[in-house]
Amino acid sequence: MAEAGTGFLEQLKSCIVWSWTYLWTLWFFVMLFLVYILRVPLKINDNLTTVSMFLNTLTPKFYVALTGTSSLISGLILIFEWWYFRKYGTSFIEQVSVSHLRPLLGGVDNSAPSTANAAGGEADSSRQSVSECKVWRNPLNLFRGAEYNRYTWVTGREPLTYYDMNLSAQDHQTFFTCDTDHLRPADAIMQKAWRERNPQARISAAHEALELNECATAYILLAEEEATTIVEAEKLFKQALKAGEGCYRRSQQLQHHGAQYEAQHRRDTNVLVYIKRRLAMCARKLGRTREAVKMMRDLMKEFPLLSMFNIHENLLEALLELQAYADVQAVLAKYDDISLPKSATICYTAALLKARAVSDKFSPEAASRRGLSTAEMNAVEAIHRAVEFNPHVPKYLLEMKSLILPPEHILKRGDSEAIAYAFFHLQHWKRVEGALNLLHCTWEGTFRMIPYPLEKGHLFYPYPICTETADRELLPSFHEVSVYPKKELPFFILFTAGLCSFTAMLALLTHQFPELMGVFAKAITDLVCCNISCMMDETSAQQAGLHREIFHLLGPLQPLSFSAPSLPL
């Protein structure tokens, strides 16, 4: 019996919600019709006349007091709303409407954070300091000759900035040179080549070094900048691998003989790892994805300590191409650790895997009615986590903003990282049915969870303020750099600010020109009352004309005569 009563109440509530959602316009017209029908019993015309006479008898002092009081009240509301917004990041009036009115109407706000979570995030963010804007090498950077230069030939635009290429030159000098290069002529030439700004001068120096000796770094430079296709780049990298393995074996035997030999071995190790990673990327670009996965796995097993190259991000992208989601989860379990630096690839890949379990059957309408299930909640929380780490990615995944070629260096949590991730992973999100729909429905809810101001952070350290400046240096000038979303002022703060300003202006004008403002107010009220009276008189005249037309069409009613029946005696 109780279940039947509960079901009836739920049905009644759903009917009320449906009627309030779709029939509020009909309710409004019904109320207007009722007021019109009851205008005579309610004596609306007499009441309007009385109000008009009362307003005509008011003095300017009344208008001064009225506008002054309204300005004071709206000012107090504005001050309270601004204080509440600065402290909690939302409008008090909107918060009350969401917390108390929306549940009555059947809505559920699943994205609102709990007080404990907000307090925990604020405490955690207070313990962490704002990190500096450190620029990282893009693990999926393209080839200059085979990809970046081809883009320049077709569009006439330079996809790389001078700042980005200068960072690459510094990386090359760090990884591909050492203090003993002056002892070998080919390496000495390459040491100067990495410092050259002119691409043709670098290429010429690489050819000069190869004439002296089989130099692995010279092959690397030619594969990166002179090769016009990936096939040519792969051939050059294979030649570099042969030369690099020989140097690595020789330096490995002498690494403990002194500091110079140890530095040379470190350089040869970096060269060998770089060559093998680029060969794996060539295989991935040429469609040999399984071969690329094997090469990356072997490389990570052979050099497990070289995490600075972020080879696992290349592996994740290749495994997603193979749709080997179990292997992707295994890689995430190893690298999505609290002690390791996060990246957009780690966070958004984890969100994609959790969204994949529920996205094909996810419906925002059904979720708002029945609430989110455990799996859906986990997927939404993973999306919130990813969006908080890098809020620029969803606009590229949802194609709300156009993509460009990724730079050679990225800034964690910046627009450059978002471009680099979406450039390679957009296809993987499109392949999972409903994943982009789930992202579209939930990603903006992240900013309601982060404590205000938004830079405080919730799950991660505070968002760096310098990202916009660094991204403008990394990304080309024709690209519009995305910035961290700012929380806009709520409507009620803007409304109360306008109301306060308007009433304060009226109070000032009424105080300075009381008689003129009194005449103006009376004219406005008379105009309003006159318009309402004219509308009602016109409506009454139309109704009387309609009655006359109906009487004319039907004609006068003839009286009916009845003959009394004769009763039998």
Side-chain angles (χ1 to χ4, degrees):
M1 193 68 179
E3 293 179 357
T6 304
F8 174 76
L9 291 177
E10 291 295 332
Q11 292 180 358
L12 180 62
K13 184 177 179 180
S14 62
C15 292
I16 295 175
V17 171
W18 181 86
S19 62
W20 178 260
T21 305
Y22 299 101
L23 299 181
W24 62 271
T25 306
L26 179 60
W27 288 9
F28 177 74
F29 284 109
V30 167
M31 294 301 298
L32 288 180
F33 181 73
L34 290 177
V35 170
Y36 174 75
I37 293 298
L38 300 176
R39 68 186 186 281
V40 176
L42 295 176
K43 300 180 180 181
I44 295 179
N45 292 330
D46 297 340
N47 292 332
L48 290 176
T49 304
T50 305
V51 171
S52 179
M53 293 177 58
F54 172 74
L55 293 177
N56 290 330
T57 59
L58 296 177
T59 61
K61 294 181 179 179
F62 170 80
Y63 296 105
V64 173
L66 177 64
T67 53
T69 305
S70 302
S71 177
L72 177 63
I73 294 174
S74 58
L76 293 176
I77 296 174
L78 174 62
I79 293 173
F80 176 75
E81 281 281 300
W82 178 254
W83 170 82
Y84 195 88
F85 175 76
R86 292 289 298 175
K87 187 174 183 180
Y88 299 104
T90 185
S91 168
F92 175 76
I93 300 176
E94 291 181 1
Q95 187 71 18
V96 170
S97 62
V98 170
S99 301
H100 300 284
L101 297 181
R102 189 173 179 180
L104 295 177
L105 300 177
V108 180
D109 190 3
N110 294 316
S111 60
S114 62
T115 307
N117 291 338
E122 186 174 355
D124 182 67
S125 63
S126 64
R127 290 193 299 266
Q128 296 170 334
S129 59
V130 178
S131 63
E132 297 181 357
C133 290
K134 180 180 179 181
V135 178
W136 300 71
R137 182 79 178 179
N138 183 9
L140 297 170
N141 64 310
L142 305 178
F143 294 86
R144 285 193 186 181
E147 292 172 311
Y148 287 120
N149 288 346
R150 294 174 68 88
Y151 177 83
T152 304
W153 297 338
V154 173
T155 63
R157 292 178 171 181
E158 290 291 341
L160 298 176
T161 63
Y162 173 76
Y163 176 70
D164 191 15
M165 291 188 290
N166 186 42
L167 291 176
S168 298
Q170 295 177 13
D171 292 340
H172 296 154
Q173 296 176 44
T174 302
F175 294 125
F176 300 154
T177 62
C178 65
D179 296 335
T180 60
D181 285 345
H182 65 278
L183 301 177
R184 295 173 298 278
D187 290 336
I189 294 175
M190 288 307 302
Q191 192 174 34
K192 296 180 181 179
W194 295 122
R195 297 192 182 101
E196 288 287 345
R197 295 186 178 181
N198 189 357
Q200 293 301 324
R202 291 196 299 270
I203 293 174
S204 300
H207 283 291
E208 183 181 353
L210 288 176
E211 292 177 358
L212 299 177
N213 192 10
E214 289 290 318
C215 182
T217 55
Y219 283 119
I220 290 176
L221 193 148
L222 295 178
E224 291 285 351
E225 301 191 24
E226 188 182 40
T228 57
T229 63
I230 302 298
V231 175
E232 294 178 8
E234 187 181 29
K235 292 180 180 178
L236 289 170
F237 273 120
K238 287 181 178 179
Q239 292 177 291
L241 179 62
K242 185 182 300 184
E245 286 179 339
C247 294
Y248 175 77
R249 285 192 295 267
R250 288 192 297 268
S251 63
Q252 188 178 22
Q253 298 174 358
L254 302 174
Q255 61 176 323
H256 301 296
H257 292 184
Q260 293 183 348
Y261 294 103
E262 185 176 354
Q264 184 177 350
H265 176 67
R266 188 183 309 112
R267 191 276 307 269
D268 293 338
T269 302
N270 293 334
V271 170
L272 184 62
V273 171
Y274 185 88
I275 293 172
K276 288 187 175 182
R277 185 173 74 91
R278 294 304 261 179
L279 278 173
M281 294 177 67
C282 289
R284 167 68 182 91
K285 293 176 182 291
L286 294 174
R288 305 194 306 270
T289 310
R290 296 188 182 278
E291 179 184 347
V293 168
K294 183 180 183 304
M295 295 172 66
M296 294 173 191
R297 289 187 184 276
D298 294 341
L299 186 59
M300 293 169 64
K301 291 179 181 178
E302 188 177 359
F303 302 98
L305 299 180
L306 291 181
S307 59
M308 57 186 173
F309 289 102
N310 293 324
I311 306 172
H312 61 276
E313 297 194 9
N314 299 83
L315 179 61
L316 285 173
E317 195 278 328
L319 290 174
L320 287 173
E321 177 64 21
L322 295 176
Q323 301 185 37
Y325 297 110
D327 294 336
V328 173
Q329 184 61 52
V331 176
L332 286 178
K334 182 179 180 180
Y335 289 95
D336 193 4
D337 186 75
I338 192 172
S339 61
L340 297 176
K342 296 294 184 295
S343 65
T345 302
I346 293 293
C347 295
Y348 277 90
T349 303
L352 176 61
L353 292 187
K354 292 186 178 180
R356 176 176 170 268
V358 298
S359 59
D360 56 339
K361 299 178 181 178
F362 178 78
S363 172
E365 293 81 7
S368 62
R369 288 195 304 267
R370 59 173 170 77
L372 295 176
S373 62
T374 303
E376 290 174 340
M377 183 64 71
N378 292 335
V380 171
E381 289 178 354
I383 291 176
H384 287 172
R385 172 178 178 263
V387 174
E388 183 183 344
F389 182 83
N390 194 318
H392 312 296
V393 174
K395 287 189 176 181
Y396 294 107
L397 293 180
L398 298 173
E399 299 183 78
M400 301 167 63
K401 193 173 181 181
S402 58
L403 277 170
I404 62 172
L405 293 184
E408 292 184 343
H409 288 81
I410 60 174
L411 184 67
K412 293 291 183 70
R413 311 186 73 181
D415 190 29
S416 53
E417 185 192 29
I419 293 172
Y421 172 80
F423 187 85
F424 293 98
H425 288 261
L426 176 59
Q427 56 180 338
H428 306 316
W429 280 81
K430 286 184 175 181
R431 189 179 293 117
V432 178
E433 182 182 358
L436 290 176
N437 178 43
L438 180 60
L439 177 67
H440 175 72
C441 296
T442 57
W443 76 277
E444 290 180 328
T446 307
F447 306 112
R448 292 193 295 268
M449 297 181 61
I450 303 176
Y452 187 83
L454 298 179
E455 291 79 7
K456 281 186 177 181
H458 178 65
L459 299 173
F460 295 98
Y461 53 87
Y463 193 80
I465 303 176
C466 58
T467 52
E468 180 180 355
T469 305
D471 277 333
R472 293 188 187 279
E473 295 290 336
L474 288 172
L475 298 173
S477 58
F478 57 83
H479 173 72
E480 183 182 356
V481 177
S482 297
V483 296
Y484 194 89
K486 301 295 182 182
K487 185 168 286 190
E488 299 179 354
L489 290 176
F491 166 76
F492 285 102
I493 289 184
L494 301 176
F495 176 76
T496 51
L499 181 63
C500 178
S501 303
F502 179 71
T503 53
M505 182 185 66
L506 286 182
L508 179 62
L509 292 176
T510 307
H511 183 267
Q512 293 294 328
F513 312 100
E515 296 181 358
L516 182 62
M517 293 300 294
V519 173
F520 179 74
K522 290 180 181 179
I524 293 296
T525 54
D526 291 341
L527 180 63
V528 173
C529 294
C530 180
N531 289 333
I532 294 176
S533 300
C534 291
M535 290 175 60
M536 296 187 67
D537 293 341
E538 184 178 356
T539 305
S540 301
Q542 291 179 357
Q543 185 178 12
L546 181 61
H547 289 168
R548 286 195 298 270
E549 291 180 2
I550 293 174
F551 181 78
H552 178 72
L553 292 175
L554 296 179
L557 296 177
Q558 299 295 332
L560 299 178
S561 59
F562 296 94
S563 57
S566 57
L567 299 176
L569 298 177

